[in-house]
Amino acid sequence: MALIPEAISFSIIAGVDPRVGLFSSFIMAVSIAFLGGRPAMITAATGAVALVIAPVARDYGMEYFIATVILAGVFQVVLGVLGVARLMRFIPRSVMVGFVNALAILIFIAQLPHLLGVTWLVYPLVAVGLVIMVVMPRITRVIPAPLVAIVLLTIATVVTAINVPTVGDQGALPKSLPELFIPNVPLTWETFAIIAPFSIAMALVGLLESLMTAKLVDDITDTHSRKTREAWGQGVANMLSGLFGGMGGCAMIGQTMINVKASGARTRISTFLAGVFLLILVVGLGDLVAIIPMAALVAVMIMVSVLTFDWHSIRLSTLKRMPKSETTVMVATVVVVVLTHNLAIGVIVGVIVAMVAFARRVAHFVSVERTLPLDETTPTAYYTVTGELFFASSNDLTTQFEYAVDPDRIVIDMSNSHIWDASTVAALDAITNKYERHGKRVVLLGMNEASTTMHNRLAGNLGGEH
């Protein structure tokens, strides 16, 4: 029941008939019940995917839209087989928080066309819908609050006969089961160039949201899921969705929480039956769904937006406690997503910002300490290098030695450091070369096994001083 309003709303966000989202939700829920790697997780048409591929329906039409969905499924299968699920560990928490917050903002922005330039009667309906969804869970959670809001607002508009936009105004609802739909698009490089960017974005967003949701369910149920299977399973489900005229989708955080937390579901049967009951309700009760006022769905989506947003992340106490670099990563992710309306680009930028911030932070932990014992028969300068040595920290290494004033023998103790890359080996080569030009000899001591192996393989073979 909770899938119906959201599937219709996401169809409208994508700029397609409500039946497209409803068929997609049915096909994806049923197919992922068999193919997915995380039992009890609900997969259907989602706002994240709808936002990414909406421009295709608007600019190129339905045939290209469906081709985009099918190609996205192919990309997901390829990424799944290549083991992209394992890369989830490299997505920092701050990027995930930014992803969720940006998704909430985009869902809210997508409701604005239904709130601007409409009759004033829409506003009290939306307000009443929001009040119902806030109050209802405090009375009972047996019936989903969004469903109660939709039913009551629909009855109110029918009884009072007020003229407000309805679901039926957005497009025809299905009267029959989904049929095979092969998109009639030219199989040319030009077609691929048009749809591939949207397909890749959809594939990445779908996988990201699905794998994040799977991780959440793992934590709630204290069980382990097969992330690689979930990744290619999502791809096959999207391909099947497209072949039957659906808009594709991914795991739904809200519906999965209803299933796993509120209902206590743990098996694939719950996912399968969610899809079956959705089809029965829509095909059997399509005429009733058509008279639902759009104001009710807008209220539902605003509520979804509010509940999706991580309000704890922007509290003053959280911002004060959180390192500035973490907050910067979260804000960068949100800003890029909102500006580009592309969750995948935002996440990629967020990860890059997080990597740069991490590299800068770690780079400051490297220190070089110089000692010059006076009681040695052979005057020797001792340098102790401490910290992780990689491109960000080793570039300044060459400036921390006294080439002109040091005695003829220099010992560099590396026992408290680790060489991670060629940049560090190049820096050590440069230090050695600078001392040799002054007629002095350098001895490197204390490298661990991994550092020694890398240094022996690369030293003197990196093309001179850098």
Side-chain angles (χ1 to χ4, degrees):
M1 289 180 170
L3 278 171
I4 295 173
E6 290 199 15
I8 295 168
S9 299
F10 295 144
S11 300
I12 291 157
I13 288 173
V16 295
D17 282 356
R19 74 181 103 185
V20 176
L22 292 164
F23 279 165
S24 191
S25 295
F26 158 67
I27 292 161
M28 293 205 71
V30 169
S31 57
I32 208 71
F34 295 96
L35 300 167
R38 174 65 262 178
M41 190 165 77
I42 304 294
T43 292
T46 57
V49 167
L51 288 161
V52 169
I53 56 175
V56 183
R58 184 183 66 237
D59 299 338
Y60 300 101
M62 194 63 192
E63 303 280 347
Y64 279 84
F65 180 84
I66 296 299
T68 303
V69 172
I70 295 170
L71 184 61
V74 173
F75 283 140
Q76 285 183 325
V77 170
V78 171
L79 290 169
V81 171
L82 292 175
V84 74
R86 290 193 291 273
L87 297 177
M88 276 296 290
R89 73 187 75 172
F90 297 112
I91 298 178
R93 182 188 173 278
S94 47
V95 173
M96 289 193 176
V97 172
F99 173 89
V100 170
N101 289 350
L103 177 59
I105 292 167
L106 290 185
I107 289 172
F108 179 79
I109 290 171
Q111 306 315 306
L112 295 180
H114 304 292
L115 292 169
L116 303 173
V118 293
T119 174
W120 67 271
L121 291 166
V122 168
Y123 303 116
L125 286 173
V126 171
V128 170
L130 290 170
V131 169
I132 291 169
M133 283 182 283
V134 170
V135 173
M136 183 72 190
R138 296 176 186 179
I139 301 167
T140 178
R141 290 181 178 271
V142 175
I143 308 169
L147 189 69
V148 175
I150 288 163
V151 170
L152 293 180
L153 291 179
T154 303
I155 291 169
T157 54
V158 171
V159 169
T160 56
I162 57 174
N163 186 22
V164 290
T166 63
V167 170
D169 298 334
Q170 306 299 321
L173 288 167
K175 299 285 185 187
S176 61
L177 297 174
E179 297 173 357
L180 195 64
F181 182 97
I182 306 296
N184 184 23
V185 295
L187 299 175
T188 62
W189 178 255
E190 186 183 356
T191 303
F192 182 80
I194 290 169
I195 66 174
F198 297 101
S199 293
I200 291 169
M202 176 181 163
L204 292 174
V205 166
L207 285 179
L208 192 66
E209 196 162 336
S210 299
L211 294 172
M212 281 169 59
T213 306
K215 187 174 184 302
L216 196 61
V217 178
D218 288 354
D219 294 341
I220 292 167
T221 60
D222 292 324
T223 55
H224 180 68
S225 60
R226 293 159 67 183
K227 303 292 192 303
T228 297
R229 176 174 170 177
E230 184 62 42
W232 65 253
Q234 289 284 335
V236 175
N238 270 315
M239 288 163 67
L240 290 171
S241 168
L243 289 170
F244 283 92
M247 60 181 275
C250 60
M252 302 187 78
I253 295 176
Q255 270 63 24
T256 300
M257 291 303 102
I258 291 172
N259 197 40
V260 175
K261 273 187 127 176
S263 310
R266 293 292 181 271
T267 71
R268 298 175 185 275
I269 299 170
S270 58
T271 309
F272 175 76
L273 289 179
V276 171
F277 285 133
L278 170 68
L279 188 70
I280 292 168
L281 287 168
V282 170
V283 174
L285 305 173
D287 293 338
L288 287 176
V289 174
I291 60 172
I292 295 171
M294 280 303 299
L297 298 188
V298 169
V300 169
M301 296 317 296
I302 290 173
M303 201 66 195
V304 168
S305 172
V306 170
L307 293 174
T308 300
F309 197 92
D310 185 350
W311 296 101
H312 180 267
S313 67
I314 59 168
R315 280 188 197 156
L316 206 57
S317 58
T318 307
L319 294 172
K320 281 181 180 176
R321 199 179 304 117
M322 199 68 71
K324 285 187 175 63
S325 59
E326 299 279 326
T327 305
T328 303
V329 170
M330 190 262 285
V331 171
T333 305
V334 172
V335 169
V336 172
V337 170
V338 171
L339 289 178
T340 62
H341 280 233
N342 190 318
L343 288 150
I345 293 174
V347 168
I348 291 166
V349 169
V351 169
I352 291 169
V353 172
M355 286 165 61
V356 171
F358 174 75
R360 281 193 63 195
R361 205 157 57 236
V362 174
H364 294 308
F365 293 145
V366 172
S367 63
V368 178
E369 187 181 334
R370 178 178 182 264
T371 55
L372 197 62
L374 300 174
D375 56 348
E376 296 205 348
T377 52
T378 304
T380 305
Y382 289 91
Y383 287 89
T384 303
V385 181
T386 304
E388 304 299 318
L389 300 172
F390 64 111
F391 62 91
S393 59
S394 62
N395 283 338
D396 294 332
L397 202 60
T398 54
T399 63
Q400 301 191 48
F401 291 81
E402 305 286 346
Y403 302 104
V405 299
D406 276 342
D408 290 345
R409 185 170 181 268
I410 295 89
V411 174
I412 301 176
D413 183 1
M414 306 286 290
S415 54
N416 295 326
S417 60
H418 186 100
I419 296 173
W420 286 106
D421 61 6
S423 297
T424 305
V425 178
L428 292 173
D429 280 356
I431 292 165
T432 304
N433 291 338
K434 282 176 185 287
Y435 274 118
E436 284 175 353
R437 281 205 299 273
H438 285 86
K440 299 171 184 180
R441 189 166 67 89
V442 176
V443 178
L444 293 169
L445 295 177
M447 285 188 201
N448 58 37
E449 189 178 345
S451 297
T452 302
T453 302
M454 180 170 283
H455 185 264
N456 290 345
R457 189 168 72 244
L458 299 177
N461 297 312
L462 294 170
E465 226 177 84
H466 295 286

